[in-house]
Amino acid sequence: MDGVEYEAALRRQHQVLNPRTSWATKTPARGDDDEAAALLARAGGLVERPVGQLLPAGQIETSRLKDANQHQPNNAVVQSVRFHVNGQVLFTAGLDKKLRLFQVDGLRNPLVQAVHFDDMPIVHAEFAAVSGGSGDAAAAAVDRVVVAGRRSHFYVYDMGAARVERVMGPAGCPQKSLATFTVSPPGAASRIPSSEPLVAFAGESGFIPLVSLRSRQWVANLKMSGNVRALAFSHDGLELFSTGDDGVIHVWDLRTRRCRLAFDDTGNIGDASSIALSADGRFIATGAKSGVVNVYRRAAVEAAARAATVGGGGGPLGRVSVPPERELMNLTTNVDTLVFSPDSQMLVMASSMKRNSLRLLHLPSLTVFANWPTSDTPLHYVQCADFSPNCGLLTIGNARGRALLYRLHHYQQA
């Protein structure tokens, strides 16, 4: 039986099983092309989504791809997973003391490099740019990975030269653990005169040591009122946000290295565990040990600060009180993962303390997508997550040592 006969047999069988579907017996004709074109034209966003189109709220279409690290899964918990700014490379790092870089295509995801750190179970890692520049030059300069754990030293890995450099902790503020840190975004140094790319560590007793990535030397200390729990640079690298057990979010101006603004994190006094900022600078998200996620609008925070300055209504140490735009209670355990998408239309919030504890928030409607993840989505214990630069891919690192990879179909490019 050739193809034509087989197709006719299938159509006859379908008509028998579904007598009301007349299209099954319709003989294709040239005019059908016009009808198909009209149908596709009415389909709109189902078949074509222009770049930059707003992401609709409610539901999101996803599909599971091959694990990003399928060729060499981690032998322990995946603590960090990050996409490079070029979108083609992804790394995983974990407690098995290995940093692995993969070329991500969604099909094979081959291993590119693997580096073993003898004396450091990796707790956190970040891509970094050491040289200056802006725009494409800054993106091309992202050729280092900063790796740290519960040690008084950290490592800088040069991907181009395949060279590992061990760096002792900041001399101006000795630390037993450098596991919590954040790296200034590419091109940030070019926006601050006489400055350089920085690493900010969560120190002890409220200290935040700043270390130059160029000279590997301690630069300065910032000091907040409570113990530091989480840090995040602004999208332009001009400011650093910190939060701790005092329930206050501090905004540091890195040009003057002073706190220019502090506001209360509603309901998270002594409970804060994470903080994240959207790439467009509009949103600030904080997570708590209780599972509560607060989302603030940056404009509302700045307006409250200006009003307090004019009216003298600030609290202790110049603090202001700003209600969150949305208080989310979808999680019930410690929120240790908060990641905004590069287009600032999504926020991943997750907890490593409970199985399958991850939710995807839609911005700016501030509503959680109802259809994903489901109870059957095999996320396991989520440890970390990241979006690709074009937002088409979402990777999730879990306690099984796997970097799960999902395609977000709203976005044309991965």
Side-chain angles (χ1 to χ4, degrees):
M1 181 180 294
D2 59 21
V4 176
E5 294 175 335
Y6 182 63
E7 180 183 356
L10 286 178
R11 290 180 181 277
R12 288 194 298 271
Q13 179 67 11
H14 186 89
Q15 185 180 18
V16 171
L17 298 176
N18 305 276
R20 296 185 180 181
T21 53
S22 58
W23 60 265
T25 59
K26 184 176 179 180
T27 302
R30 179 171 299 179
D32 291 341
D33 294 338
D34 297 333
E35 294 182 13
L39 176 62
L40 293 177
R42 295 195 303 271
L46 293 175
V47 295
E48 182 179 2
R49 295 182 174 90
V51 176
Q53 181 179 343
L54 293 179
L55 178 67
Q59 296 191 347
I60 187 167
E61 185 181 352
T62 67
S63 60
R64 174 85 178 272
L65 303 179
K66 297 289 185 181
D67 289 354
N69 63 344
Q70 64 170 332
H71 286 294
Q72 195 173 119
N74 289 45
N75 295 321
V77 174
V78 178
Q79 292 288 107
S80 286
V81 59
R82 287 289 185 274
F83 279 97
H84 191 271
V85 291
N86 64 15
Q88 299 176 5
V89 176
L90 170 148
F91 75 66
T92 63
L95 299 181
D96 59 357
K97 305 180 182 179
K98 277 194 175 183
L99 173 73
R100 300 172 174 88
L101 290 99
F102 300 89
Q103 183 179 346
V104 181
D105 57 13
L107 299 175
R108 297 182 299 110
N109 306 327
L111 177 70
V112 177
Q113 294 177 345
V115 186
H116 183 78
F117 299 86
D118 293 334
D119 62 346
M120 183 173 294
I122 303 171
V123 175
H124 189 57
E126 293 279 356
F127 280 114
V130 174
S131 57
S134 59
D136 294 338
V142 181
D143 58 355
R144 305 290 201 279
V145 181
V146 179
V147 177
R150 295 181 179 90
R151 299 289 187 271
S152 60
H153 61 275
F154 65 97
Y155 288 96
V156 177
Y157 175 61
D158 186 332
M159 295 184 291
R163 183 178 65 248
V164 175
E165 180 183 354
R166 175 172 167 155
V167 183
M168 293 306 298
C173 188
Q175 303 293 326
K176 295 179 181 178
S177 173
L178 300 175
T180 301
F181 70 89
T182 186
V183 177
S184 58
S190 65
R191 305 183 188 101
I192 308 175
S194 303
S195 186
E196 48 195 337
L198 298 172
V199 182
F201 293 97
E204 300 172 0
S205 303
F207 283 99
I208 305 172
L210 301 179
V211 175
S212 166
L213 270 176
R214 194 169 296 155
S215 66
R216 314 290 200 265
Q217 298 296 315
W218 169 76
V219 174
N221 278 338
L222 308 178
K223 178 67 168 70
M224 56 180 278
S225 54
N227 292 316
V228 188
R229 295 280 180 79
L231 301 164
F233 278 98
S234 61
H235 65 289
D236 56 9
L238 299 178
E239 294 177 326
L240 177 69
F241 286 64
S242 65
T243 185
D245 57 8
D246 60 352
V248 179
I249 299 172
H250 295 76
V251 183
W252 305 89
D253 188 335
L254 296 178
R255 291 165 291 191
T256 62
R257 293 174 186 164
R258 292 186 178 184
C259 181
R260 72 167 190 83
L261 169 64
F263 64 98
D264 295 320
D265 189 10
T266 305
N268 285 351
I269 297 178
D271 203 30
S273 58
S274 54
I275 187 170
L277 279 73
S278 64
D280 62 5
R282 291 189 301 157
F283 296 100
I284 306 166
T286 62
K289 293 181 179 180
S290 61
V292 177
V293 174
N294 287 334
V295 180
Y296 299 88
R297 287 191 185 273
R298 179 77 180 271
V301 173
E302 298 292 346
R306 288 193 297 269
T309 301
V310 174
L317 302 177
R319 295 198 327 239
V320 297
S321 181
V322 185
E325 187 74 15
R326 184 71 189 274
E327 188 177 30
L328 299 152
M329 300 184 181
N330 302 85
L331 306 179
T332 58
T333 52
N334 182 31
V335 182
D336 41 28
T337 297
L338 285 175
V339 181
F340 280 98
S341 62
D343 67 350
S344 303
Q345 295 197 80
M346 293 176 287
L347 170 67
V348 167
M349 46 188 185
S351 171
S352 61
M353 306 299 293
K354 188 176 180 181
R355 191 183 184 94
N356 298 332
S357 186
L358 179 146
R359 295 296 180 270
L360 189 59
L361 182 71
H362 173 266
L363 299 168
S365 71
L366 299 177
T367 57
V368 173
F369 287 104
N371 68 317
W372 191 88
T374 68
S375 57
D376 296 327
T377 306
L379 300 179
H380 201 247
Y381 291 91
V382 176
Q383 307 292 317
C384 50
D386 196 29
F387 291 93
S388 63
N390 293 319
C391 306
L393 296 175
L394 170 63
T395 182
I396 300 169
N398 64 23
R400 286 177 170 170
R402 300 171 67 179
L404 309 178
L405 196 61
Y406 289 89
R407 181 77 170 90
L408 307 182
H409 294 285
H410 170 81
Y411 299 91
Q412 288 183 327
Q413 298 180 349

